[in-house]
Amino acid sequence: MRAITVRDRDAGVGGLNLTDMPYPHAAENDVIVRVHAAGFTPGELDWPGTWSDRAGRDRTPSIPGHELSGAVVELGYGTTGLTVGQRVFGLTDWARNGSLAEYTAVEARNLAPLAADIDHTVAAALPISGLTAWQGLFDHAHLTTGQTVLIHGAAGGVGSIAVQLAREVGARVIGTGRADDRDVALGLGAQTFLDLAADDLQHVGEVDVVFDVIGGDILERSTELVRPGGTLVTVAMPPAVQPKGGRAIFFVVEPDRARLTDLAQRLRAGRLNPIVGAVRPLPETASAFARHRRTPGKTIIQVADEQGARHS
Ligand SMILES: NC(=O)c1ccc[n+]([C@@H]2O[C@H](COP(=O)([O-])OP(=O)(O)OC[C@H]3O[C@@H](n4cnc5c(N)ncnc54)[C@H](OP(=O)(O)O)[C@@H]3O)[C@@H](O)[C@H]2O)c1
């Protein structure tokens, strides 16, 4: 089968190559999914699981991509809850071959059923961004109605979903990003937008929650904006400093079938709109992610069309 693989840790996205790889084996509780559309997260080539298995052994050539939408074609021994032919979407494991391939083996519990009227390219934009945004805002920061949240990278994959979820719960949303992201962030529901290169972050005043996806200096400068009792959540890096009277948390997104199902229902009801900035075929994966300036939201790789025919 065709897949995108990486072998060289120092090569960056230029090291993403189209390769012929063996059809995957379905382990216990796995399904094999025929991938229709796949998502890729900037930064995942730095994650340890891209290069080693859970025992720390080199697992190159490895297939990146941890979001998918597709159809179940095979069940592993003991797998329950999904059936052959079913449309599904969800996360692939961090330390196993991923979704930038025609087929992939995934633990069934990482996937949720997908309604027939949701396009695979839209569904593939939801698992990591949607679960990360939900878990950050509500499981970790406990954002509620009437609170103020500062969301960095508001036009990006995670940030664009976080803005919509935060508005729906009745929070006041301040989005940040690059100057070009202003209209997208405001269009998603942010009440205020800050261009991080030009506007002064300190003018935001105190907020109940900071949601950070950028890290570094932006993360550090955001710490003092958290009001006592408030929370800073970041998915970029463990925070070095804690807010005065508040807390700062780094977390890694976890699979959650029930939440994925809820996110898909919001999407069908028109309450959630993942931004698919670009859709590119599998052989163009490297160029899709090597571009200097990315499009808003997620770039999705279309592997097969709705009928399962190869898309190239
Ligand atoms: N820990 C976890 O579980 C977890 C889960 C999901 C994602 N992540 C990480 O979170 C990060 C964001 O993921 P994503 O999918 O949302 O990425 P993304 O789609 O690239 O979104 C990030 C957004 O922030 C903007 N941005 C980045 N640096 C900026 C800066 N210095 N000034 C202004 N804007 C800036 C980006 O603009 P440009 O596109 O113009 O750079 C983009 O709009 C990645 O590093 C990813 O690895 C971690």
Side-chain angles (χ1 to χ4, degrees):
M1 67 166 190
R2 294 191 317 170
I4 296 294
T5 59
V6 287
R7 293 166 190 273
D8 177 2
R9 214 169 172 151
D10 299 323
V13 288
L16 295 163
N17 284 309
L18 188 66
T19 316
D20 195 25
M21 288 286 281
Y23 180 85
H25 166 72
E28 208 169 321
N29 298 319
D30 273 354
V31 295
I32 303 292
V33 177
R34 168 76 163 112
V35 180
H36 287 251
F40 176 89
T41 303
E44 72 174 73
L45 297 182
D46 296 327
W47 299 348
T50 302
W51 306 101
S52 1
D53 65 17
R54 286 188 184 138
R57 289 175 299 235
D58 177 14
R59 67 179 194 85
T60 56
S62 77
I63 302 173
H66 294 286
E67 292 167 289
L68 65 77
S69 185
V72 174
V73 292
E74 196 183 322
L75 303 179
Y77 180 77
T79 301
T80 57
L82 296 176
T83 55
V84 169
Q86 192 165 15
R87 296 175 99 238
V88 289
F89 76 121
L91 298 174
T92 66
D93 302 293
W94 309 124
R96 295 173 74 189
N97 279 340
S99 58
L100 290 169
E102 291 180 315
Y103 297 90
T104 190
V106 194
E107 284 182 74
R109 69 190 175 111
N110 292 3
L111 303 173
L114 181 69
D117 57 358
I118 302 180
D119 197 277
H120 285 299
T121 54
V122 177
L126 205 50
I128 291 186
S129 300
L131 290 177
T132 303
W134 183 280
Q135 290 167 13
L137 290 175
F138 304 119
D139 295 342
H140 295 287
H142 308 294
L143 181 73
T144 58
T145 311
Q147 291 189 323
T148 298
V149 56
L150 173 69
I151 299 175
H152 289 312
V158 176
S160 61
I161 302 279
V163 168
Q164 296 175 68
L165 294 176
R167 274 310 305 274
E168 198 174 21
V169 83
R172 181 173 159 258
V173 177
I174 304 163
T176 80
R178 304 199 192 268
D180 288 354
D181 297 331
R182 179 181 299 274
D183 290 347
V184 172
L186 296 177
L188 291 170
Q191 282 106 329
T192 310
F193 180 82
L194 254 74
D195 168 2
L196 287 172
D199 299 329
D200 186 356
L201 202 50
Q202 304 335 103
H203 282 162
V204 165
E206 285 193 332
V207 299
D208 299 286
V209 173
V210 173
F211 194 124
D212 170 57
V213 302
I214 298 174
D217 177 50
I218 304 287
L219 164 61
E220 205 161 300
R221 285 195 282 132
S222 303
T223 309
E224 58 203 64
L225 303 176
V226 178
R227 69 168 46 110
T231 307
L232 180 153
V233 280
T234 177
V235 291
M237 58 174 64
V241 190
Q242 290 287 319
K244 275 194 199 118
R247 53 197 189 117
I249 299 163
F250 167 79
F251 75 98
V252 175
V253 62
E254 290 184 9
D256 182 341
R257 178 183 285 173
R259 184 58 56 203
L260 280 179
T261 303
D262 168 69
L263 291 167
Q265 278 163 358
R266 287 165 188 261
L267 195 148
R268 287 184 84 198
R271 291 159 54 200
L272 186 63
N273 176 28
I275 302 178
V276 178
V279 178
R280 306 278 288 274
L282 191 65
E284 291 178 23
T285 301
S287 65
F289 291 100
R291 278 175 303 127
H292 178 60
R293 181 69 175 88
R294 297 181 56 254
T295 48
K298 292 286 288 190
T299 294
I300 294 300
I301 300 300
Q302 186 167 18
V303 183
D305 64 21
E306 195 62 41
Q307 285 67 44
R310 176 183 283 185
H311 194 269
S312 53

